[in-house]
Amino acid sequence: MSGVILPGSTIGVLGSGQLGRMFTIAARRLGYRVRVFSPDDDTPTGQVADVEIQSAYDDLDAVADFARQVDVVTFEFENVPVETIDVVDRFKPVYPGGHVLHTTQHRIREKTFLRSAGVPVTPFRAVYSIDELKAVRDEELPGVLKTAAWGYDGKGQVKVDSSDELESAWRKLNCNEAVLERFVDFEKELSIVAARGQDGSVAIYGPIINTHQNHILDLSVTPSEFPPTISKEAIDIARVILTKLNVIGVLCIEFFLTTDGKLLVNELAPRPHNSGHLTIDAHATCQFEQQVRAVCGLPLGSATQLRPAAMVNLLGDIWQQGEPDWKEALAVGDLKLHLYGKREARVGRKMGHLTVLENSPYDAEQKALAARRALLARHADKPLADANA
Ligand code: AMP
């Protein structure tokens, strides 16, 4: 176990979106200073950090300078180039380490790791050329062709129903490496968010039940009402992954629960996750504080859930007909509003979320959805196509 980095020290964050923002808020609450590094300025993280550095990730001199001025480094998204992490690593500890990033930022490496760890994954084949798609058998379809790198929120993936669609799907993705996954007939999607400290201890949240709209997370609810065997299996899988991947920090595991009751891992995210945002208000220690504690070598906090909770995302869509009616939504009891300080509310862009605490997960979900509808109350005469989305 390396040295403990105490409050008052400076944490460096690579990436400056909402995850970095919520991480920074947790870090500052614990008395740390935060420097954030990204190519942008006036960012969600920069607005709450001590210092915001605007520079490209491949400006390795700037990266080295940044590393010299902090005590430890973490990242808020997995597409930071591994070379950037390697430079940081020469100067300061970085958690989770470059090996975690290397595995999880590439779908073929990630799935190969999971399979070798004995974890059930969606059946897949790696594809490196259009010719290889000719070998695909009908039993492998319908499927989803996904780029191996740089995919998120459904970007870089195309559903393929029959073999004559494979070629156009490959051209559409315009990449050199992809995975063809079997399309999963799932009953539910769920996630486990887990933290692992430098002493090897693990704290687990979930299973959290997730619903997506247009491939973007829409609603998360916890606790789940799965049979204990399913919850236990998901938690056991999470422990295996965190340990075998030697994660120090936070990792989210997204699962499908198939219609015939099997758990399959869909993908990993080596950082706090959108489905764990409800831990800020509903749990004794939130996912972001766990990341702070893990990267600084402190003991993890308790992941105990205080009340049932539901979180809904607020996408830029809600702004399209004017400023949302915050007064209406904030009048709902036990509701917490989180906005990320983004200047431009584009359709599909994550602008914030709200979490409702209630006596049951069902009540929390109903109240959260109603609160989001209430944001549109002032525009009721001009309803959006999907006021619930
Ligand atoms: P991903 O970016 O891979 O997490 O995909 C985003 C969403 O697309 C998932 O949360 C699912 O709702 C859907 N999806 C992705 N892969 C599959 C699959 N193999 N079968 C069915 N749905 C999928």
Side-chain angles (χ1 to χ4, degrees), residues 82 85-86 96-104 244-248:
V82 169
I85 299 287
D86 287 345
H99 65 285
V100 177
L101 205 65
H102 181 74
T103 304
T104 55
K244 291 213 169 163
L245 201 51
N246 191 17
V247 174
I248 292 170

Side-chain angles (χ1 to χ4, degrees), residues 107 146 157 181-184 189 212 215 266-267:
R107 287 191 197 272
K146 302 181 177 181
Q157 49 181 276
E181 275 181 21
R182 195 75 56 79
F183 186 80
V184 179
E189 290 189 79
H212 293 77
H215 300 280
N266 172 27
E267 64 174 0

